[in-house]
Amino acid sequence: MSQHIVSSFDRDLESVQAMVVKMGGLVETQVLDAAQALEERDEDLAETVRLRDKQVDVLEEQINIEAARLIALRAPHATDLRIALTVIKVAGHLERVGDYAKNIAKRSKVIADLPSINGSSGAIRRMASEVEGMLKDSIDSFIQRDATLAADVRARDVAIDQMYNALFREFLTYMMEDPRNITPCMHLHFIAKNIERMGDLCTSIAEQVTYLVTGQMPEEPRPKSDGVVAVKPLES
């Protein structure tokens, strides 16, 4: 009977982790599709991203319910408890990344009717692609229990900050050159800020993986590029 209970617990734990992986894959798609909708001014794709965010929310709720049930009924210890706590944290971070992708999609529908800013959408898509890579690797580090890969993801956030800073300065230049650029540049700036925040959330996932593997959060300060401007992004 004891062996059966342990086996059942292991299956439940594997099931909730599989849900996290599924959620991660869905959020990766949301990030890339939101950036593509912006670059191609594809309002239909933007609307798809916006509506698909509900699937992300449902998955987070299911993960939280299952993880809480495991903790309440099984009273896990040590590594098993860290896994249950980590999946709750990771799901929360993924849900926020999904929210930012939805926000990008909402703004891209507005931008579609505004004058284009030369090269900006492509630059934002490249930034989003880098963040998607961080997200994929953070989920892979979770699957593989790879603290080294998690540390690599954490270090890469500096590059996202640098890309954001460059775009911020570029948008300021465009706005000073021509007042007609102010509105589209403001929207693009908020989109870039959303992506920068996605990078922070990917870093947070990587840090949770470090906690899962080692039992401790990283002690050294999170690497950041100088000059990141703190601006509140559009809320969902």
PDB file of all heavy atoms in Angstrom, residues 17-47:
ATOM      1  N   GLN A  17       4.009  18.704 -13.583  1.00  0.00           N
ATOM      2  CA  GLN A  17       5.191  19.219 -14.279  1.00  0.00           C
ATOM      3  C   GLN A  17       4.969  19.236 -15.796  1.00  0.00           C
ATOM      4  O   GLN A  17       5.407  20.159 -16.494  1.00  0.00           O
ATOM      5  CB  GLN A  17       6.416  18.381 -13.935  1.00  0.00           C
ATOM      6  CG  GLN A  17       6.895  18.561 -12.507  1.00  0.00           C
ATOM      7  CD  GLN A  17       8.107  17.709 -12.200  1.00  0.00           C
ATOM      8  OE1 GLN A  17       9.249  18.120 -12.423  1.00  0.00           O
ATOM      9  NE2 GLN A  17       7.867  16.506 -11.688  1.00  0.00           N
ATOM     10  N   ALA A  18       4.274  18.218 -16.305  1.00  0.00           N
ATOM     11  CA  ALA A  18       3.969  18.174 -17.739  1.00  0.00           C
ATOM     12  C   ALA A  18       3.065  19.340 -18.132  1.00  0.00           C
ATOM     13  O   ALA A  18       3.187  19.899 -19.233  1.00  0.00           O
ATOM     14  CB  ALA A  18       3.303  16.852 -18.092  1.00  0.00           C
ATOM     15  N   MET A  19       2.183  19.736 -17.229  1.00  0.00           N
ATOM     16  CA  MET A  19       1.320  20.881 -17.491  1.00  0.00           C
ATOM     17  C   MET A  19       2.136  22.168 -17.588  1.00  0.00           C
ATOM     18  O   MET A  19       1.833  23.044 -18.405  1.00  0.00           O
ATOM     19  CB  MET A  19       0.263  20.988 -16.402  1.00  0.00           C
ATOM     20  CG  MET A  19      -0.771  19.876 -16.423  1.00  0.00           C
ATOM     21  SD  MET A  19      -1.786  19.818 -14.913  1.00  0.00           S
ATOM     22  CE  MET A  19      -2.664  21.360 -15.046  1.00  0.00           C
ATOM     23  N   VAL A  20       3.177  22.273 -16.754  1.00  0.00           N
ATOM     24  CA  VAL A  20       4.062  23.441 -16.820  1.00  0.00           C
ATOM     25  C   VAL A  20       4.768  23.491 -18.166  1.00  0.00           C
ATOM     26  O   VAL A  20       4.871  24.556 -18.792  1.00  0.00           O
ATOM     27  CB  VAL A  20       5.089  23.420 -15.671  1.00  0.00           C
ATOM     28  CG1 VAL A  20       6.141  24.519 -15.868  1.00  0.00           C
ATOM     29  CG2 VAL A  20       4.406  23.611 -14.330  1.00  0.00           C
ATOM     30  N   VAL A  21       5.251  22.347 -18.626  1.00  0.00           N
ATOM     31  CA  VAL A  21       5.937  22.284 -19.924  1.00  0.00           C
ATOM     32  C   VAL A  21       4.975  22.668 -21.047  1.00  0.00           C
ATOM     33  O   VAL A  21       5.324  23.419 -21.960  1.00  0.00           O
ATOM     34  CB  VAL A  21       6.517  20.880 -20.154  1.00  0.00           C
ATOM     35  CG1 VAL A  21       7.109  20.768 -21.561  1.00  0.00           C
ATOM     36  CG2 VAL A  21       7.584  20.563 -19.111  1.00  0.00           C
ATOM     37  N   LYS A  22       3.740  22.164 -20.980  1.00  0.00           N
ATOM     38  CA  LYS A  22       2.731  22.519 -21.985  1.00  0.00           C
ATOM     39  C   LYS A  22       2.462  24.023 -21.971  1.00  0.00           C
ATOM     40  O   LYS A  22       2.367  24.666 -23.028  1.00  0.00           O
ATOM     41  CB  LYS A  22       1.439  21.749 -21.711  1.00  0.00           C
ATOM     42  CG  LYS A  22       0.312  22.070 -22.679  1.00  0.00           C
ATOM     43  CD  LYS A  22      -0.950  21.292 -22.339  1.00  0.00           C
ATOM     44  CE  LYS A  22      -2.092  21.647 -23.285  1.00  0.00           C
ATOM     45  NZ  LYS A  22      -3.336  20.904 -22.950  1.00  0.00           N
ATOM     46  N   MET A  23       2.338  24.579 -20.784  1.00  0.00           N
ATOM     47  CA  MET A  23       2.099  26.019 -20.645  1.00  0.00           C
ATOM     48  C   MET A  23       3.272  26.806 -21.211  1.00  0.00           C
ATOM     49  O   MET A  23       3.075  27.825 -21.890  1.00  0.00           O
ATOM     50  CB  MET A  23       1.882  26.356 -19.171  1.00  0.00           C
ATOM     51  CG  MET A  23       1.471  27.793 -18.907  1.00  0.00           C
ATOM     52  SD  MET A  23       1.224  28.088 -17.125  1.00  0.00           S
ATOM     53  CE  MET A  23       0.750  29.825 -17.149  1.00  0.00           C
ATOM     54  N   GLY A  24       4.485  26.352 -20.948  1.00  0.00           N
ATOM     55  CA  GLY A  24       5.662  27.020 -21.481  1.00  0.00           C
ATOM     56  C   GLY A  24       5.677  27.053 -22.999  1.00  0.00           C
ATOM     57  O   GLY A  24       5.982  28.080 -23.610  1.00  0.00           O
ATOM     58  N   GLY A  25       5.311  25.925 -23.621  1.00  0.00           N
ATOM     59  CA  GLY A  25       5.263  25.876 -25.081  1.00  0.00           C
ATOM     60  C   GLY A  25       4.223  26.823 -25.648  1.00  0.00           C
ATOM     61  O   GLY A  25       4.456  27.484 -26.679  1.00  0.00           O
ATOM     62  N   LEU A  26       3.080  26.907 -24.988  1.00  0.00           N
ATOM     63  CA  LEU A  26       2.025  27.809 -25.442  1.00  0.00           C
ATOM     64  C   LEU A  26       2.456  29.257 -25.331  1.00  0.00           C
ATOM     65  O   LEU A  26       2.220  30.068 -26.238  1.00  0.00           O
ATOM     66  CB  LEU A  26       0.757  27.563 -24.617  1.00  0.00           C
ATOM     67  CG  LEU A  26      -0.452  28.450 -24.934  1.00  0.00           C
ATOM     68  CD1 LEU A  26      -0.864  28.324 -26.395  1.00  0.00           C
ATOM     69  CD2 LEU A  26      -1.630  28.083 -24.015  1.00  0.00           C
ATOM     70  N   VAL A  27       3.117  29.597 -24.245  1.00  0.00           N
ATOM     71  CA  VAL A  27       3.567  30.978 -24.044  1.00  0.00           C
ATOM     72  C   VAL A  27       4.667  31.330 -25.047  1.00  0.00           C
ATOM     73  O   VAL A  27       4.704  32.458 -25.556  1.00  0.00           O
ATOM     74  CB  VAL A  27       4.041  31.200 -22.600  1.00  0.00           C
ATOM     75  CG1 VAL A  27       4.680  32.575 -22.438  1.00  0.00           C
ATOM     76  CG2 VAL A  27       2.871  31.068 -21.630  1.00  0.00           C
ATOM     77  N   GLU A  28       5.545  30.394 -25.361  1.00  0.00           N
ATOM     78  CA  GLU A  28       6.554  30.634 -26.398  1.00  0.00           C
ATOM     79  C   GLU A  28       5.885  31.026 -27.709  1.00  0.00           C
ATOM     80  O   GLU A  28       6.297  31.976 -28.391  1.00  0.00           O
ATOM     81  CB  GLU A  28       7.402  29.383 -26.617  1.00  0.00           C
ATOM     82  CG  GLU A  28       8.421  29.078 -25.544  1.00  0.00           C
ATOM     83  CD  GLU A  28       9.183  27.801 -25.849  1.00  0.00           C
ATOM     84  OE1 GLU A  28       9.519  27.567 -27.018  1.00  0.00           O
ATOM     85  OE2 GLU A  28       9.414  27.011 -24.911  1.00  0.00           O
ATOM     86  N   THR A  29       4.847  30.285 -28.081  1.00  0.00           N
ATOM     87  CA  THR A  29       4.109  30.582 -29.310  1.00  0.00           C
ATOM     88  C   THR A  29       3.468  31.964 -29.242  1.00  0.00           C
ATOM     89  O   THR A  29       3.485  32.719 -30.237  1.00  0.00           O
ATOM     90  CB  THR A  29       3.020  29.524 -29.542  1.00  0.00           C
ATOM     91  OG1 THR A  29       3.627  28.240 -29.660  1.00  0.00           O
ATOM     92  CG2 THR A  29       2.226  29.808 -30.811  1.00  0.00           C
ATOM     93  N   GLN A  30       2.929  32.314 -28.082  1.00  0.00           N
ATOM     94  CA  GLN A  30       2.309  33.629 -27.909  1.00  0.00           C
ATOM     95  C   GLN A  30       3.313  34.756 -28.143  1.00  0.00           C
ATOM     96  O   GLN A  30       3.007  35.754 -28.804  1.00  0.00           O
ATOM     97  CB  GLN A  30       1.724  33.748 -26.495  1.00  0.00           C
ATOM     98  CG  GLN A  30       0.466  32.933 -26.258  1.00  0.00           C
ATOM     99  CD  GLN A  30      -0.749  33.554 -26.920  1.00  0.00           C
ATOM    100  OE1 GLN A  30      -1.015  33.319 -28.106  1.00  0.00           O
ATOM    101  NE2 GLN A  30      -1.483  34.350 -26.168  1.00  0.00           N
ATOM    102  N   VAL A  31       4.522  34.591 -27.618  1.00  0.00           N
ATOM    103  CA  VAL A  31       5.551  35.626 -27.766  1.00  0.00           C
ATOM    104  C   VAL A  31       5.906  35.823 -29.235  1.00  0.00           C
ATOM    105  O   VAL A  31       5.945  36.959 -29.741  1.00  0.00           O
ATOM    106  CB  VAL A  31       6.807  35.266 -26.951  1.00  0.00           C
ATOM    107  CG1 VAL A  31       7.951  36.234 -27.257  1.00  0.00           C
ATOM    108  CG2 VAL A  31       6.501  35.266 -25.456  1.00  0.00           C
ATOM    109  N   LEU A  32       6.164  34.732 -29.930  1.00  0.00           N
ATOM    110  CA  LEU A  32       6.571  34.819 -31.334  1.00  0.00           C
ATOM    111  C   LEU A  32       5.434  35.334 -32.217  1.00  0.00           C
ATOM    112  O   LEU A  32       5.657  36.149 -33.122  1.00  0.00           O
ATOM    113  CB  LEU A  32       7.051  33.457 -31.830  1.00  0.00           C
ATOM    114  CG  LEU A  32       8.364  32.947 -31.226  1.00  0.00           C
ATOM    115  CD1 LEU A  32       8.710  31.575 -31.795  1.00  0.00           C
ATOM    116  CD2 LEU A  32       9.505  33.923 -31.482  1.00  0.00           C
ATOM    117  N   ASP A  33       4.214  34.873 -31.962  1.00  0.00           N
ATOM    118  CA  ASP A  33       3.079  35.317 -32.782  1.00  0.00           C
ATOM    119  C   ASP A  33       2.758  36.791 -32.549  1.00  0.00           C
ATOM    120  O   ASP A  33       2.382  37.510 -33.488  1.00  0.00           O
ATOM    121  CB  ASP A  33       1.847  34.460 -32.478  1.00  0.00           C
ATOM    122  CG  ASP A  33       1.904  33.084 -33.132  1.00  0.00           C
ATOM    123  OD1 ASP A  33       2.854  32.840 -33.903  1.00  0.00           O
ATOM    124  OD2 ASP A  33       1.016  32.260 -32.862  1.00  0.00           O
ATOM    125  N   ALA A  34       2.907  37.247 -31.318  1.00  0.00           N
ATOM    126  CA  ALA A  34       2.657  38.664 -31.036  1.00  0.00           C
ATOM    127  C   ALA A  34       3.651  39.547 -31.786  1.00  0.00           C
ATOM    128  O   ALA A  34       3.280  40.579 -32.360  1.00  0.00           O
ATOM    129  CB  ALA A  34       2.740  38.925 -29.537  1.00  0.00           C
ATOM    130  N   ALA A  35       4.923  39.130 -31.789  1.00  0.00           N
ATOM    131  CA  ALA A  35       5.947  39.898 -32.498  1.00  0.00           C
ATOM    132  C   ALA A  35       5.718  39.854 -34.005  1.00  0.00           C
ATOM    133  O   ALA A  35       5.908  40.859 -34.708  1.00  0.00           O
ATOM    134  CB  ALA A  35       7.331  39.348 -32.160  1.00  0.00           C
ATOM    135  N   GLN A  36       5.299  38.706 -34.521  1.00  0.00           N
ATOM    136  CA  GLN A  36       5.016  38.596 -35.958  1.00  0.00           C
ATOM    137  C   GLN A  36       3.823  39.455 -36.343  1.00  0.00           C
ATOM    138  O   GLN A  36       3.832  40.123 -37.383  1.00  0.00           O
ATOM    139  CB  GLN A  36       4.737  37.134 -36.322  1.00  0.00           C
ATOM    140  CG  GLN A  36       4.439  36.921 -37.814  1.00  0.00           C
ATOM    141  CD  GLN A  36       4.174  35.469 -38.155  1.00  0.00           C
ATOM    142  OE1 GLN A  36       4.516  34.561 -37.385  1.00  0.00           O
ATOM    143  NE2 GLN A  36       3.548  35.227 -39.289  1.00  0.00           N
ATOM    144  N   ALA A  37       2.786  39.458 -35.505  1.00  0.00           N
ATOM    145  CA  ALA A  37       1.609  40.285 -35.782  1.00  0.00           C
ATOM    146  C   ALA A  37       1.977  41.756 -35.847  1.00  0.00           C
ATOM    147  O   ALA A  37       1.460  42.517 -36.684  1.00  0.00           O
ATOM    148  CB  ALA A  37       0.547  40.051 -34.707  1.00  0.00           C
ATOM    149  N   LEU A  38       2.899  42.178 -34.971  1.00  0.00           N
ATOM    150  CA  LEU A  38       3.351  43.565 -34.976  1.00  0.00           C
ATOM    151  C   LEU A  38       4.117  43.886 -36.252  1.00  0.00           C
ATOM    152  O   LEU A  38       3.836  44.885 -36.923  1.00  0.00           O
ATOM    153  CB  LEU A  38       4.235  43.831 -33.762  1.00  0.00           C
ATOM    154  CG  LEU A  38       4.934  45.192 -33.724  1.00  0.00           C
ATOM    155  CD1 LEU A  38       3.914  46.311 -33.575  1.00  0.00           C
ATOM    156  CD2 LEU A  38       5.967  45.238 -32.599  1.00  0.00           C
ATOM    157  N   GLU A  39       5.074  43.029 -36.592  1.00  0.00           N
ATOM    158  CA  GLU A  39       5.925  43.301 -37.753  1.00  0.00           C
ATOM    159  C   GLU A  39       5.134  43.299 -39.056  1.00  0.00           C
ATOM    160  O   GLU A  39       5.362  44.136 -39.934  1.00  0.00           O
ATOM    161  CB  GLU A  39       7.041  42.267 -37.831  1.00  0.00           C
ATOM    162  CG  GLU A  39       8.033  42.551 -38.962  1.00  0.00           C
ATOM    163  CD  GLU A  39       9.198  41.577 -38.957  1.00  0.00           C
ATOM    164  OE1 GLU A  39       9.040  40.441 -38.472  1.00  0.00           O
ATOM    165  OE2 GLU A  39      10.268  41.952 -39.449  1.00  0.00           O
ATOM    166  N   GLU A  40       4.187  42.374 -39.181  1.00  0.00           N
ATOM    167  CA  GLU A  40       3.445  42.220 -40.431  1.00  0.00           C
ATOM    168  C   GLU A  40       2.120  42.987 -40.418  1.00  0.00           C
ATOM    169  O   GLU A  40       1.367  42.919 -41.379  1.00  0.00           O
ATOM    170  CB  GLU A  40       3.196  40.743 -40.694  1.00  0.00           C
ATOM    171  CG  GLU A  40       4.487  39.945 -40.862  1.00  0.00           C
ATOM    172  CD  GLU A  40       4.257  38.461 -41.048  1.00  0.00           C
ATOM    173  OE1 GLU A  40       3.063  38.033 -41.093  1.00  0.00           O
ATOM    174  OE2 GLU A  40       5.252  37.723 -41.178  1.00  0.00           O
ATOM    175  N   ARG A  41       1.859  43.678 -39.306  1.00  0.00           N
ATOM    176  CA  ARG A  41       0.592  44.415 -39.139  1.00  0.00           C
ATOM    177  C   ARG A  41      -0.594  43.498 -39.409  1.00  0.00           C
ATOM    178  O   ARG A  41      -1.548  43.868 -40.103  1.00  0.00           O
ATOM    179  CB  ARG A  41       0.576  45.651 -40.031  1.00  0.00           C
ATOM    180  CG  ARG A  41       1.695  46.629 -39.693  1.00  0.00           C
ATOM    181  CD  ARG A  41       1.477  48.020 -40.230  1.00  0.00           C
ATOM    182  NE  ARG A  41       2.389  48.970 -39.596  1.00  0.00           N
ATOM    183  CZ  ARG A  41       2.148  50.256 -39.457  1.00  0.00           C
ATOM    184  NH1 ARG A  41       1.010  50.770 -39.911  1.00  0.00           N
ATOM    185  NH2 ARG A  41       3.006  51.062 -38.862  1.00  0.00           N
ATOM    186  N   ASP A  42      -0.514  42.319 -38.845  1.00  0.00           N
ATOM    187  CA  ASP A  42      -1.519  41.279 -39.035  1.00  0.00           C
ATOM    188  C   ASP A  42      -2.521  41.335 -37.875  1.00  0.00           C
ATOM    189  O   ASP A  42      -2.288  40.775 -36.802  1.00  0.00           O
ATOM    190  CB  ASP A  42      -0.820  39.908 -39.087  1.00  0.00           C
ATOM    191  CG  ASP A  42      -1.772  38.786 -39.470  1.00  0.00           C
ATOM    192  OD1 ASP A  42      -2.990  38.926 -39.232  1.00  0.00           O
ATOM    193  OD2 ASP A  42      -1.289  37.765 -39.991  1.00  0.00           O
ATOM    194  N   GLU A  43      -3.622  42.010 -38.113  1.00  0.00           N
ATOM    195  CA  GLU A  43      -4.600  42.194 -37.041  1.00  0.00           C
ATOM    196  C   GLU A  43      -5.299  40.892 -36.669  1.00  0.00           C
ATOM    197  O   GLU A  43      -5.684  40.700 -35.510  1.00  0.00           O
ATOM    198  CB  GLU A  43      -5.623  43.252 -37.455  1.00  0.00           C
ATOM    199  CG  GLU A  43      -5.020  44.652 -37.620  1.00  0.00           C
ATOM    200  CD  GLU A  43      -6.071  45.713 -37.850  1.00  0.00           C
ATOM    201  OE1 GLU A  43      -7.066  45.741 -37.091  1.00  0.00           O
ATOM    202  OE2 GLU A  43      -5.911  46.521 -38.784  1.00  0.00           O
ATOM    203  N   ASP A  44      -5.471  39.995 -37.633  1.00  0.00           N
ATOM    204  CA  ASP A  44      -6.100  38.705 -37.331  1.00  0.00           C
ATOM    205  C   ASP A  44      -5.218  37.882 -36.394  1.00  0.00           C
ATOM    206  O   ASP A  44      -5.718  37.265 -35.443  1.00  0.00           O
ATOM    207  CB  ASP A  44      -6.360  37.920 -38.622  1.00  0.00           C
ATOM    208  CG  ASP A  44      -7.464  38.554 -39.469  1.00  0.00           C
ATOM    209  OD1 ASP A  44      -8.304  39.281 -38.896  1.00  0.00           O
ATOM    210  OD2 ASP A  44      -7.479  38.321 -40.695  1.00  0.00           O
ATOM    211  N   LEU A  45      -3.920  37.865 -36.655  1.00  0.00           N
ATOM    212  CA  LEU A  45      -3.000  37.124 -35.791  1.00  0.00           C
ATOM    213  C   LEU A  45      -2.948  37.767 -34.402  1.00  0.00           C
ATOM    214  O   LEU A  45      -2.900  37.061 -33.384  1.00  0.00           O
ATOM    215  CB  LEU A  45      -1.600  37.075 -36.405  1.00  0.00           C
ATOM    216  CG  LEU A  45      -0.542  36.300 -35.621  1.00  0.00           C
ATOM    217  CD1 LEU A  45      -0.977  34.852 -35.392  1.00  0.00           C
ATOM    218  CD2 LEU A  45       0.802  36.341 -36.360  1.00  0.00           C
ATOM    219  N   ALA A  46      -2.969  39.087 -34.364  1.00  0.00           N
ATOM    220  CA  ALA A  46      -2.978  39.788 -33.079  1.00  0.00           C
ATOM    221  C   ALA A  46      -4.206  39.409 -32.266  1.00  0.00           C
ATOM    222  O   ALA A  46      -4.121  39.185 -31.050  1.00  0.00           O
ATOM    223  CB  ALA A  46      -2.935  41.296 -33.297  1.00  0.00           C
ATOM    224  N   GLU A  47      -5.341  39.304 -32.927  1.00  0.00           N
ATOM    225  CA  GLU A  47      -6.567  38.919 -32.230  1.00  0.00           C
ATOM    226  C   GLU A  47      -6.490  37.468 -31.743  1.00  0.00           C
ATOM    227  O   GLU A  47      -6.973  37.145 -30.650  1.00  0.00           O
ATOM    228  CB  GLU A  47      -7.778  39.104 -33.158  1.00  0.00           C
ATOM    229  CG  GLU A  47      -9.115  38.765 -32.545  1.00  0.00           C
ATOM    230  CD  GLU A  47      -9.511  39.661 -31.374  1.00  0.00           C
ATOM    231  OE1 GLU A  47      -8.817  40.677 -31.129  1.00  0.00           O
ATOM    232  OE2 GLU A  47     -10.516  39.349 -30.710  1.00  0.00           O
TER     233      GLU A  47
END
